[in-house]
Amino acid sequence: MKNFPLVLALSLLLLGCNRSPASDSVSDQKSPFSKTPIRGALLAQVGDWAIGIDDFKGYLNKIKPFVGNAIDVESARFKREFLNDLVRTQVLGQVAVQRGYDKDEEVVRALRDTKNSLLASRMRAEIEKTVN
């Protein structure tokens, strides 16, 4: 699984820019301790972040075209490692916020640039829809 970190990074980037309230049928279902709406039964939760089984399946479906046959995303081993990495990322991210890393100038700049890039991608997609 030497490609696993690349798959995780790619999937997080893709999932962040492809999720829109208009296209996702996010239920009002929430974990009792989470502010995050989830799709499907609760699969994992870290603080106020939660993921449902249908959300997780959506993640897997979105990364399949990018990994092709190189990785069996349907295997139990891959799913377990992928979910563990998603959870680990949330844990580390929440600890980093508690330590104030989210206020670091470099992090703030990177977040702003990433946000602008995601917004530009969304805008391009919307323009392409109206043109076609």
Side-chain angles (χ1 to χ4, degrees):
M1 285 257 172
K2 63 182 179 181
N3 294 331
F4 195 74
L6 175 63
V7 171
L8 179 63
L10 179 63
S11 63
L12 292 175
L13 177 64
L14 290 172
L15 298 170
C17 61
N18 287 334
R19 184 149 192 166
S20 69
S23 64
D24 274 359
S25 57
V26 177
S27 71
D28 289 337
Q29 179 180 352
K30 293 183 182 178
S31 160
F33 305 104
S34 173
K35 298 177 186 175
T36 308
I38 60 171
R39 293 183 305 139
L42 179 66
L43 188 58
Q45 181 172 341
V46 177
D48 65 355
W49 174 86
I51 183 171
I53 188 71
D54 293 334
D55 296 317
F56 187 70
K57 288 177 183 176
Y59 281 11
L60 294 174
N61 288 333
K62 288 180 182 178
I63 64 172
K64 282 179 187 178
F66 296 96
V67 297
N69 294 329
I71 298 174
D72 180 11
V73 299
E74 294 299 327
S75 74
R77 179 179 177 202
F78 178 84
K79 289 177 182 178
R80 184 176 49 254
E81 289 180 19
F82 186 65
L83 181 61
N84 286 340
D85 276 354
L86 288 172
V87 168
R88 189 175 303 113
T89 298
Q90 289 299 317
V91 169
L92 292 172
Q94 290 181 24
V95 170
V97 168
Q98 290 172 355
R99 292 184 179 183
Y101 295 176
D102 58 325
K103 300 194 182 6
D104 179 84
E105 185 178 319
E106 190 175 319
V107 171
V108 170
R109 186 177 314 119
L111 288 171
R112 183 188 63 235
D113 292 347
T114 301
K115 178 181 176 182
N116 286 335
S117 178
L118 292 172
L119 290 170
S121 293
R122 172 85 45 99
M123 196 68 223
R124 271 190 225 100
E126 188 176 316
I127 290 169
E128 287 176 6
K129 278 185 194 176
T130 59
V131 170
N132 295 329

